[in-house]
Amino acid sequence: MSEHATLRETSATCPAVFVAAPASGQGKTTVTAALARMLRRRGKVVRVFKTGPDYLDPRVLAQASGQPVDSLDLWMAGEAYCRRRLYEAARQADLILVEGAMGLFDGEPSSADLASLFGLPMVIVMDVKGMAQTTAALVAGLAGFRDDIRIAGLIANACGSARHRELIEAALPESVPLLAAVPRDPALALPERHLGLVQAEEIRDDLEARFEAGAEALEAEGLAEALLGMAPVAFTPAPTEAAAPPAWLAGRTIAVARDAAFSFVYQANLDLLERMGATLRIFSPLTDTHLPPCDALWLPGGYPELHAAGLAENVPMRDDIQRAFAADLPILAECGGLLYCLESLTDTDEQTHAMLGLLPGHGAMRGRRGCQGMQTAGLPEGPVRGHAHHRSQASGTPEPIAHGQRQRHSAPGEAIYRARRLTATYLHLFFPDNPAAVARLFGANAVEADSIKECQG
């Protein structure tokens, strides 16, 4: 077998771009979505990834690209997971886009760390409103800050005029060309509210119009040819991730809450449960009157505070979940799911509603300030990494069995509660971090549990 053939079997090549910015709020998601839609309109397969723990942006990007969008995070997911997902995408995509989080050097690990590890050229998106030549100074500083990354160019967002563009382009260093200037047009920018309490599905038509407008603006800049003509990046599979996890959940059905109240679900979590043999049954605590037949239950995060009245009024569903709890079905409740499991929840209008009552305590919103951060959940089944992000608080809760361990701080993290076989916490778990622990959490049977223990050593 030739050396070229061997390389072809052990790697997949595809043009790839890491879309980064000097800070949050520069328009990364707007530009990434427009790029994806521009190439999709040409019949290209574009696979988009979002760095960091994020549920809302990936759904916007999935609508723009017409493809599933996964999260990549070196701490939460690990290098092997990120490597495998990129390799799988490269095998079927014409272009890979990775959208960064915050500024490109922010966080540990940062967007730049991920781009460096996988050899992804970075494109800087910068809101240039109120500056011209200073844009070039900032770009030059970003490009020269580390020697292990490559800045392939600048996309100047919110550019005011042709003259504005000329001033920026003339000042840029030769090594960082101006790839495009996106006009300052409210019709192009994604509405900020999608990052708050309104989800992509609720403004689908509005997003479609903005995707199309953004795609046309970037098409006029000739950006499609520039991206597709970039030197392809070689992605290799992670050897330790080559084999699928054992079918620890074969024969088990897991009911997963998904509706307007419970929507913070990583696609990677669903994929892993199915890879371990589980059958998933999606249901709505808001609109369905009964829990589907199941062996375990997952209540993920979301916005129950916006739908507390509807959840309270759906008494048949509440009764079914209470019976499942009494029958000792394994239940995982994360963040919004935790609030649903408490005795009551005070909504955004300061109205208090009865919840499931599986766990003592009361939930309430606490204004704009919230809690967030990467943490490891020290579960009895094994540690699982994840993150917290919430603007509510739970009071009157029982003594927790453990607390999350923060990524870079010694103070105790989020409380982890257990009642019967209910596990409830504000943490959002990333299941692929520890498949064996997740299998045990959802009730792998005795034979499977023994094999899991052997795998865990």
Side-chain angles (χ1 to χ4, degrees), residues 98 105 165 186 231 234 253 260 277 283 439 452:
V98 181
F105 300 118
R165 175 194 179 120
T253 297
F283 75 102
I452 291 171

Side-chain angles (χ1 to χ4, degrees), residues 250-316:
R252 297 190 66 80
T253 297
I254 301 173
V256 182
R258 291 200 77 174
D259 57 19
F262 303 100
S263 57
F264 291 0
V265 177
Y266 290 119
Q267 184 62 44
N269 285 4
L270 298 174
D271 292 344
L272 176 67
L273 293 176
E274 291 187 324
R275 288 173 66 205
M276 292 194 294
T279 298
L280 304 184
R281 292 285 181 263
I282 306 301
F283 75 102
S284 168
L286 274 173
T287 61
D288 292 340
T289 54
H290 292 289
L291 190 67
C294 61
D295 304 297
L297 175 61
W298 178 20
L299 301 172
Y303 295 125
E305 67 273 14
L306 298 182
H307 305 278
L311 293 170
E313 291 166 2
N314 194 350
V315 175

Side-chain angles (χ1 to χ4, degrees), residues 66-138:
Q67 297 288 332
V69 173
D70 291 313
S71 295
L72 298 181
D73 185 275
L74 287 175
W75 184 84
M76 189 172 68
E79 177 183 340
Y81 172 85
C82 295
R83 188 175 296 281
R84 177 169 61 84
R85 295 306 256 189
L86 287 167
Y87 169 75
E88 290 171 348
R91 295 181 66 185
Q92 52 102 10
D94 296 300
L95 178 74
I96 290 174
L97 295 173
V98 181
E99 184 194 336
M102 302 185 294
L104 71 164
F105 300 118
D106 296 327
E108 296 177 16
S110 66
S111 293
D113 292 330
L114 190 110
S116 173
L117 180 64
F118 296 110
L120 305 175
M122 304 186 86
V123 169
I124 303 299
V125 174
M126 188 181 299
D127 189 323
V128 297
K129 182 179 179 180
M131 61 178 171
Q133 290 90 342
T134 301
T135 302
L138 294 173

Side-chain angles (χ1 to χ4, degrees), residues 19-280:
V19 181
S24 297
Q26 302 293 296
K28 293 190 302 293
T29 306
T30 294
V31 169
T32 304
L35 291 172
R37 178 53 60 91
M38 173 185 69
L39 292 166
R40 181 184 176 187
R41 292 187 350 169
R42 289 189 170 209
K44 304 298 183 182
V45 175
V46 185
R47 287 299 312 274
V48 186
F49 294 89
K50 171 68 181 177
T51 59
D54 194 324
Y55 297 105
L56 299 175
D57 282 354
R59 288 154 69 182
V60 171
L61 297 171
Q63 182 180 331
S65 65
Q67 297 288 332
V69 173
D70 291 313
S71 295
L72 298 181
D73 185 275
L74 287 175
W75 184 84
M76 189 172 68
E79 177 183 340
Y81 172 85
C82 295
R83 188 175 296 281
R84 177 169 61 84
R85 295 306 256 189
L86 287 167
Y87 169 75
E88 290 171 348
R91 295 181 66 185
Q92 52 102 10
D94 296 300
L95 178 74
I96 290 174
L97 295 173
V98 181
E99 184 194 336
M102 302 185 294
L104 71 164
F105 300 118
D106 296 327
E108 296 177 16
S110 66
S111 293
D113 292 330
L114 190 110
S116 173
L117 180 64
F118 296 110
L120 305 175
M122 304 186 86
V123 169
I124 303 299
V125 174
M126 188 181 299
D127 189 323
V128 297
K129 182 179 179 180
M131 61 178 171
Q133 290 90 342
T134 301
T135 302
L138 294 173
V139 169
L142 294 172
F145 189 70
R146 284 172 51 167
D147 59 9
D148 62 338
I149 60 170
R150 180 171 72 87
I151 306 298
L154 168 71
I155 297 179
N157 191 29
C159 193
S161 64
R163 179 56 179 160
H164 190 189
R165 175 194 179 120
E166 291 172 1
L167 292 172
I168 293 171
E169 189 166 21
L172 285 171
E174 291 185 7
S175 60
V176 185
L178 180 66
L179 298 176
V182 181
R184 191 182 306 159
D185 184 350
L188 301 179
L190 299 180
E192 286 294 325
R193 66 183 184 275
H194 88 273
L195 298 175
L197 298 180
V198 178
Q199 302 174 70
E201 292 81 356
E202 300 174 58
I203 52 172
R204 185 174 184 84
D205 292 342
D206 184 21
L207 289 177
E208 280 296 312
R210 294 172 189 272
F211 295 155
E212 291 296 319
E216 290 179 8
L218 294 180
E219 188 77 63
E221 295 282 313
L223 206 48
E225 287 77 13
L227 295 181
L228 294 172
M230 294 180 70
V233 177
F235 298 97
T236 57
T240 59
E241 291 286 292
W248 286 320
L249 294 173
R252 297 190 66 80
T253 297
I254 301 173
V256 182
R258 291 200 77 174
D259 57 19
F262 303 100
S263 57
F264 291 0
V265 177
Y266 290 119
Q267 184 62 44
N269 285 4
L270 298 174
D271 292 344
L272 176 67
L273 293 176
E274 291 187 324
R275 288 173 66 205
M276 292 194 294
T279 298
L280 304 184

